[in-house]
Amino acid sequence: MLEWMDSLRGRSLMRLASFTDEEMLDLVNLAGQLKARRAAGVRGNLLLRKNIALIFEKSSTRTRNSSIIAARDEGGGAEYLTRPDIHFGKKESVKDTARVLGRIYDGILFRGFAQRTCEELAEYSGVPVWNGLTDDYHPTQILADLLTVKETFGSLDDCTVAYVGDGRNNVANSLMMGCAKAGIRYVCCAPRELWPDEAILAEAEAVAKRNGVDIRVFSDAKTGVKGANVLYTDVWVSMGEEAKTAERIALLRPYQINMDLMAATGNLNGRLMFLHCLPAFHDFNTEVTKQTGALEVTDEVFESKYSKVFDESENRMHTIKALFVSALCDRSAV
Ligand code: CP
Ligand code: NVA
């Protein structure tokens, strides 16, 4: 019997702070239940005749496919809409698009640039809206990360996550809040220029304090990662910031995750994993890495026994399904 909190019904996700700590952890728990159910061969009807619009302004492999399959697995449907496909923001305002799609669909997942666009869709559509990544936040990613940590270590207790790289990007912002809400110690290792935004840090610090953990920020990665159980990184240049590529590579080269840095945790023989939201630059087999010659993680770490990136990637689907089901499922169907 699947279980989740009633308070999640009809809810939007703008950022992790949209949920209470308990609700966020309940979503992770529901995702685990849905994953086990799917592994047992069940494709159900939890989203029967529910239709979800996927508005994407930026590229995606995981979020797009996870959303489509999450809906389809449970009898629902998802329609992929990019900016050139619809009038969004060109001939029709975000507000009008929201009101139109809200009459047709049961929910909207948005990936794009401005956080405000996501908020406007939620304000005017009248249906749940989920943030599938904006310039500021990537909350659905962190639900998958928490599920991966929980599965690998058996619980989220007594855990330290060290994020190494661009400490103020969308993934880092959401990871910091996700850890704070889950009672996980969070360490950010980044050059000063890329330390977290002060307001976002202060908000997460207040949550961390309430949950008895702390957030620490270091410029020296080797010092910062000492004692960490999870080393996490992301690309050095996020979508939309391509003009800053040379500057970022120069700043972040000392922050590459390699075996030396993994060893600096002191946990090579203990509880240790490597996570990355993906896509990752870990070898020279992509157009971008052939041009830049820069990798945020070595192939040795990426392919090592510590790397749980493909579990993490799969968990995007189960956690997005948990969001859809908890918001849209009619419990009498369960
Ligand atoms: N991690 C993640 O969001 O991947 P995509 O950009 O492929 O959706
Ligand atoms: N920070 C990255 C995450 C990609 C999933 C980006 O915004 O491009």
Side-chain angles (χ1 to χ4, degrees):
M1 179 72 173
L2 295 167
E3 287 185 11
W4 68 88
M5 292 169 72
D6 283 330
S7 62
L8 293 169
R9 183 155 179 84
R11 293 281 289 280
S12 291
L13 172 63
M14 296 294 102
R15 54 202 195 102
L16 289 175
S18 306
F19 293 129
T20 65
D21 302 352
E22 199 188 3
E23 285 168 344
M24 181 193 78
L25 294 171
D26 196 61
L27 278 166
V28 174
N29 184 41
L30 174 59
Q33 295 176 57
L34 290 165
K35 184 174 182 176
R37 182 172 176 274
R38 189 180 199 256
V42 181
R43 300 288 193 279
N45 59 357
L46 300 172
L47 295 169
L48 192 65
R49 289 189 287 277
K50 300 293 182 192
N51 289 302
I52 295 163
L54 309 175
I55 305 179
F56 278 55
E57 297 178 322
K58 292 178 177 173
S59 308
S60 166
T61 298
R62 279 142 290 269
T63 312
R64 171 183 178 173
N65 288 288
S66 295
S67 303
I68 291 169
I69 299 306
R72 190 183 292 164
D73 261 5
E74 293 297 337
E79 187 70 24
Y80 180 67
L81 308 165
T82 67
R83 254 186 191 262
D85 297 323
I86 53 176
H87 300 295
F88 193 58
K90 291 190 305 277
K91 278 173 73 179
E92 198 159 36
S93 64
V94 172
K95 183 174 172 178
D96 289 356
T97 307
R99 287 182 289 182
V100 171
L101 296 182
R103 299 287 184 104
I104 299 171
Y105 288 94
D106 301 289
I108 299 171
L109 185 135
F110 171 74
R111 163 167 291 202
F113 295 91
Q115 177 71 14
R116 180 68 202 134
T117 307
C118 194
E119 287 162 4
E120 241 185 299
L121 286 169
E123 274 166 38
Y124 296 106
S125 65
V127 295
V129 174
W130 305 282
N131 177 352
L133 180 148
T134 60
D135 291 344
D136 299 336
Y137 300 104
H138 195 5
T140 63
Q141 175 66 49
I142 280 50
L143 298 176
D145 302 339
L146 292 173
L147 178 59
T148 311
V149 173
K150 193 175 163 186
E151 285 174 343
T152 310
F153 292 156
S155 86
L156 298 174
D157 297 342
D158 192 23
C159 184
T160 301
V161 170
Y163 177 93
V164 182
D166 178 3
R168 35 100 280 156
N169 79 6
N170 41 19
V171 169
N173 287 342
S174 290
L175 185 65
M176 182 163 66
M177 179 55 91
C179 287
K181 289 173 86 63
I184 292 172
R185 295 178 291 273
Y186 180 80
V187 178
C188 173
C189 303
R192 249 170 211 283
E193 294 86 337
L194 300 173
W195 277 11
D197 172 85
E198 281 185 17
I200 292 174
L201 175 62
E203 188 188 24
E205 274 175 335
V207 175
K209 193 172 170 200
R210 193 179 72 218
N211 288 323
V213 288
D214 57 9
I215 295 175
R216 292 181 302 154
V217 185
F218 290 85
S219 339
D220 183 63
K222 276 205 168 153
T223 310
V225 301
K226 203 167 181 304
N229 307 107
V230 179
L231 286 201
Y232 195 127
T233 193
D234 184 9
V235 289
W236 292 343
V237 184
S238 287
M239 290 180 277
E241 297 185 326
E242 289 75 9
K244 293 186 191 288
T245 301
E247 177 193 323
R248 283 291 168 70
I249 291 173
L251 275 172
L252 287 166
R253 265 197 204 282
Y255 295 84
Q256 181 190 63
I257 296 195
N258 49 40
M259 271 301 172
D260 276 353
L261 200 62
M262 294 289 281
T265 62
N267 281 332
L268 280 185
N269 297 316
R271 275 195 316 158
L272 180 62
M273 76 171 87
F274 167 71
L275 292 180
H276 190 309
C277 55
L278 305 186
F281 295 132
H282 61 93
D283 59 26
F284 297 104
N285 296 331
T286 71
E287 277 173 36
V288 173
T289 48
K290 276 178 194 151
Q291 276 172 18
T292 63
L295 308 176
E296 70 268 9
V297 54
T298 60
D299 207 40
E300 191 184 9
V301 171
F302 189 87
E303 299 294 353
S304 72
K305 65 176 183 183
Y306 303 104
S307 177
K308 299 294 171 200
V309 296
F310 295 108
D311 292 335
E312 183 185 11
S313 168
E314 177 191 334
N315 286 339
R316 295 299 310 286
M317 203 281 286
H318 305 297
T319 43
I320 284 179
K321 192 188 279 178
L323 269 175
F324 292 170
V325 167
S326 62
L328 302 181
C329 177
D330 174 2
R331 276 197 187 251
S332 60
V334 181

